[in-house]
Amino acid sequence: MKCRVCREPAIIDIRRHNANFCTEHFLRLCRDQTAKAIKEFDMLDEGDRVLVAVSGGKDSLALWDILIELGYQADGLYIGLGIGDYSDESGDFARDFARQRDLKLIEVDLLREYGYDVPHGSRAAKRAPCSACGLSKRHIFDKAALDGGYDALATGHNLDDEAAVLFGNTLRWQVDYLGRQHPVLPARSGFPKKIKPLIRLYEREMAAYCVLQNIDYILEECPMAVGNKHIAYKEALNQIELQSPGSKLDFVFGFFARAAERFASSDAAIDDVLAPCTTCGAPTPSGECAFCRLAERATAAQPVRLSPRREKTSVRSGPSTPSEPDRA
Ligand code: Q46
Ligand code: ZN
Ligand code: ZN
């Protein structure tokens, strides 16, 4: 197996290009594909200041590394979600990466700054963990990018992520989501520009990039992702990709080129009815934004409701236990 560029021994095969690459030329391919996506979708101008949403996982750390290599001023933003050991460890990987490269990492701790964490807050607000988590992250990302005056907020979504999301949105014909599925969402009043520079690269390539660049990242998946439909969609798409290399790329880029435009009006229509949130000022269709409503429910004291049977038991065995575990 020889590198397509230099004919030295290759370390990775990229089936959709029908080619193999050595370390040097694979790393160059990752940077070139990122630069190509940035140019193709007009994501950034030279010298732009970028805020990278960093989770401690391979994609966001690889993205941060590549943006620095490409010469952008890129700072990181890490959100402490309070998901047990997973959050503790992922935070350490993000901090270590920043420290080793002398980069600026902004940290926001959900519990300390907003009074709830994802496991407890989602339960109190009666929302699925990923729904409460996603809503919280989007709000904090937007606020941090606007407060810091960054030109764009970059996320580490790779091609596998985008293909799985597109698959899910198409399966249910969620036209509002399809209208917003694009590698660039331009800045609008109250929202920063959002970009996905890894849109041309596969998940497997991001893992290889990190190994070759000596980037340590959290290997475990978030424990709250169990049952997440996107995992099943990714597996289904991997089977198709195996039979027909390049299918994911064709699916996603075919959508951008030939179909995305048809759904754009659904998104533009939403913009017309936005007004500042009565609590935080972020744009929202109703009086108070979804994040503020979530935060209120997530931090509200939960009354202890006992079933008649439990009540009897608690009378016999002493004080009742609270419905939520102690957060201390
Ligand atoms: S961190 Fe949050 Fe993900 Fe964990 S709770 Fe779900 S959304 S799975 S990217
Ligand atoms: Zn080579
Ligand atoms: Zn609000």
Side-chain angles (χ1 to χ4, degrees):
M1 196 162 102
K2 291 197 169 145
C3 172
R4 173 201 264 184
V5 184
C6 66
R7 310 309 296 164
E8 291 295 313
I11 50 96
I12 190 166
D13 64 314
I14 308 286
R15 289 186 64 207
R16 70 177 179 287
H17 292 313
N18 198 20
N20 309 311
F21 294 91
C22 70
T23 299
E24 182 194 338
H25 291 116
F26 170 70
L27 293 174
R28 189 188 292 175
L29 174 99
C30 293
R31 290 173 197 133
D32 287 352
Q33 289 292 315
T34 307
K36 184 175 176 181
I38 290 173
K39 192 162 179 234
E40 186 177 9
F41 295 103
D42 199 14
M43 294 185 186
L44 295 171
D45 290 324
E46 214 174 300
D48 268 359
R49 286 181 67 239
V50 190
L51 184 62
V52 184
V54 177
S55 67
K58 60 183 181 323
D59 302 302
S60 54
L61 292 178
L63 170 61
W64 198 0
D65 192 71
I66 291 172
L67 288 176
I68 294 288
E69 296 269 344
L70 291 176
Y72 294 101
Q73 294 182 54
D75 296 337
L77 167 65
Y78 174 79
I79 303 176
L81 301 168
I83 307 177
D85 292 347
Y86 171 77
S87 286
D88 295 342
E89 285 170 31
S90 55
D92 286 344
F93 284 112
R95 279 174 219 115
D96 286 349
F97 179 91
R99 200 178 310 118
Q100 285 159 11
R101 290 159 180 79
D102 204 17
L103 298 172
K104 178 178 171 184
L105 179 70
I106 300 166
E107 292 197 50
V108 177
D109 188 87
L110 201 53
L111 181 58
R112 220 172 12 245
E113 301 200 19
Y114 294 95
Y116 67 94
D117 56 29
V118 166
H120 296 91
S122 58
R123 231 176 301 153
K126 297 189 173 49
R127 281 183 87 126
C130 288
S131 152
C133 180
L135 176 57
S136 307
K137 287 195 289 192
R138 284 193 296 277
H139 180 87
I140 295 168
F141 289 158
D142 289 354
K143 183 173 173 353
L146 291 172
D147 288 353
Y150 289 93
D151 296 298
L153 172 77
T155 53
H157 294 95
N158 57 44
L159 187 57
D160 295 66
D161 298 323
E162 283 306 294
V165 170
L166 179 60
F167 190 73
N169 288 342
T170 309
L171 214 54
R172 288 179 184 73
W173 291 113
Q174 288 173 302
V175 291
D176 287 352
Y177 293 157
L178 287 167
R180 261 170 283 159
Q181 187 160 3
H182 200 262
V184 180
L185 293 179
R188 359 195 272 260
S189 150
F191 293 109
K193 182 179 191 180
K194 293 177 190 171
I195 61 172
K196 297 174 183 172
L198 298 185
I199 190 79
R200 291 191 149 274
L201 291 158
Y202 281 34
E203 198 164 298
R204 165 179 179 263
E205 290 149 19
M206 292 298 86
Y209 182 91
C210 286
V211 170
L212 296 170
Q213 281 286 79
N214 289 319
I215 298 171
D216 291 327
Y217 61 91
I218 188 152
L219 292 169
E220 290 81 39
E221 291 290 334
C222 170
M224 313 218 90
V226 177
N228 188 319
K229 287 192 205 82
H230 286 118
I231 296 175
Y233 297 156
K234 278 188 180 180
E235 282 166 9
L237 289 164
N238 282 343
Q239 286 302 318
I240 297 170
E241 181 79 20
L242 210 59
Q243 299 296 321
S244 175
S247 294
K248 286 186 224 178
L249 190 80
D250 292 343
F251 180 44
V252 171
F253 279 74
F255 169 74
F256 294 150
R258 295 192 289 279
E261 186 72 6
R262 295 165 196 238
F263 300 98
S265 59
S266 309
D267 192 42
I270 295 171
D271 260 13
D272 293 343
V273 293
L274 296 181
C277 164
T278 49
T279 303
C280 72
T284 179
S286 60
E288 196 175 40
C289 76
F291 172 77
C292 289
R293 280 183 274 130
L294 165 71
E296 270 166 30
R297 284 202 296 270
T299 52
Q302 295 296 300
V304 180
R305 291 194 56 180
L306 300 174
S307 66
R309 203 165 153 190
R310 261 277 321 268
E311 221 161 356
K312 253 182 165 176
T313 314
S314 69
V315 169
R316 278 207 307 266
S317 59
S320 61
T321 48
S323 59
E324 291 283 310
D326 189 0
R327 286 198 203 191

